[in-house]
Amino acid sequence: MKTGRFDGEQAEYRRGNFGFAHEWLQEFRTLDEVLQRLDALRSADPGHRYLCTLDDVSQCSYTSGHASQDERLYLDDPEDMNWEDSAQEQALTLASLQHRVAQLQRPELVQDWAQVCGTLLLAAEDVDAVLLANRSPEVLLDDVVYVQRLPVPSDELMIAGQPNGYFSADWDSFQNHAVIRHLAGQYGYRFFGMGAAWMGFVRASLPDAALVERLIRDLRMLYGQGQDEVREHAGWAQLASVLLSRHTLMLGYAESLTEGLGLELPAG
């Protein structure tokens, strides 16, 4: 796997809207290779959290930039800001992150899992997209993966460094945060990746059958509450079998998951 940094004028890639971009990864074959790199970074630097991108880095940067301007998350620029002073710009980047961390924890803004259930309008075939994304999570990875080094107090709050959910049909940052917290607290899935339409989670150990059964019931309601074709789709039973042999869980937060991935689903 090839890695590189974002420092210097000759850097191969630009940070975009990823204010804490630390390094980029290329020429990986599997998601497990990316996760191993994240684990190595975490072990060597326990004072920071490391979040990677998933699908469509360019689109993810674009939508994250807009999602950061949500009035619940946005910190106004200082009136005397000198944009040619890199120290001032870095200080504002950090202050903005800290503001988003605080806002995501304000009781009057926090959402819970039950509030999010049924709020994403999906078609039945989108369950097949979730199934395929979990069977072969590499299809979610862009050719280059950005890794951010975030000074935040918990993995659940890494979303403050890469808020997303810009379009009106998507889950927004507060809804995504509710999903992240629930999966960590109830199922031991740690948030590790954020893409333009997908989030990635990983467990330290394989889940057992009882945990997966509970998880699938929750996911059917998360995506299918009020949408019978989605809730009763046969793909959920197949997803249960897949998750028993994987440490990871990949979940979409945008509409038209199938179309967005460009996956060719099995006929019928």
Side-chain angles (χ1 to χ4, degrees):
M1 182 168 59
K2 183 179 178 182
T3 68
R5 294 295 181 91
F6 288 89
D7 44 5
E9 288 297 321
Q10 303 304 314
E12 189 168 348
Y13 293 102
R14 300 296 182 187
R15 281 189 168 90
N17 288 313
F18 306 111
F20 291 84
H22 176 68
E23 71 175 29
W24 49 263
L25 314 176
Q26 267 189 328
E27 298 178 10
F28 42 78
R29 296 182 301 277
T30 67
L31 176 61
D32 286 343
E33 290 181 63
V34 174
L35 290 172
Q36 288 168 9
R37 180 57 184 165
L38 293 178
D39 286 343
L41 290 167
R42 293 169 65 233
S43 296
D45 181 21
H48 291 85
R49 313 279 172 166
Y50 287 86
L51 177 69
C52 77
T53 59
L54 298 172
D55 53 296
D56 201 337
V57 169
S58 295
Q59 179 71 359
C60 185
S61 174
Y62 170 79
T63 52
S64 184
H66 283 287
S68 299
Q69 295 174 347
D70 184 317
E71 63 181 9
R72 297 168 294 178
L73 295 174
Y74 185 69
L75 179 67
D76 289 333
D77 301 337
E79 292 184 3
D80 58 349
M81 180 71 185
N82 179 2
W83 292 101
E84 296 182 359
D85 185 336
S86 61
Q88 286 192 39
E89 190 170 354
Q90 290 171 8
L92 178 59
T93 298
L94 178 58
S96 296
L97 173 68
Q98 293 169 336
H99 177 72
R100 292 192 295 268
V101 166
Q103 291 295 97
L104 285 166
Q105 297 177 94
R106 283 180 59 181
E108 66 271 29
L109 297 178
V110 169
Q111 295 199 35
D112 61 30
W113 178 271
Q115 290 174 285
V116 182
C117 286
T119 56
L120 191 65
L121 184 61
L122 296 182
E125 56 264 27
D126 290 315
V127 180
D128 292 313
V130 173
L131 175 59
L132 288 176
N134 281 280
R135 274 181 175 159
S136 303
E138 290 72 30
V139 302
L140 297 181
L141 297 177
D142 208 336
D143 291 338
V144 59
V145 166
Y146 281 28
V147 178
Q148 292 205 82
R149 181 177 182 261
L150 296 167
V152 296
S154 69
D155 292 321
E156 292 89 342
L157 285 166
M158 288 196 296
I159 192 173
Q162 198 173 314
N164 226 318
Y166 162 58
F167 297 110
S168 60
D170 300 345
W171 287 333
D172 64 27
S173 296
F174 292 87
Q175 292 170 308
N176 283 332
H177 188 219
V179 173
I180 291 166
R181 295 195 323 272
H182 185 81
L183 291 174
Q186 296 297 314
Y187 299 103
Y189 280 99
R190 179 175 58 81
F191 178 53
F192 76 84
M194 190 82 185
W198 294 81
M199 294 185 286
F201 305 86
V202 62
R203 274 178 54 88
S205 60
L206 291 175
D208 61 29
L211 185 143
V212 169
E213 183 179 356
R214 284 197 300 113
L215 175 60
I216 293 298
R217 285 200 301 266
D218 258 0
L219 293 179
R220 288 175 64 197
M221 293 307 297
L222 177 67
Y223 287 114
Q225 182 171 291
Q227 303 174 76
D228 291 347
E229 287 189 357
V230 173
R231 189 176 64 254
E232 302 303 328
H233 195 281
W236 294 118
Q238 298 174 62
L239 179 61
S241 298
V242 170
L243 295 181
L244 285 170
S245 62
R246 295 206 63 92
H247 291 83
T248 54
L249 172 66
M250 317 303 287
L251 296 180
Y253 67 86
E255 66 175 341
S256 303
L257 296 175
T258 303
E259 180 182 344
L261 281 182
L263 295 177
E264 294 183 8
L265 298 175

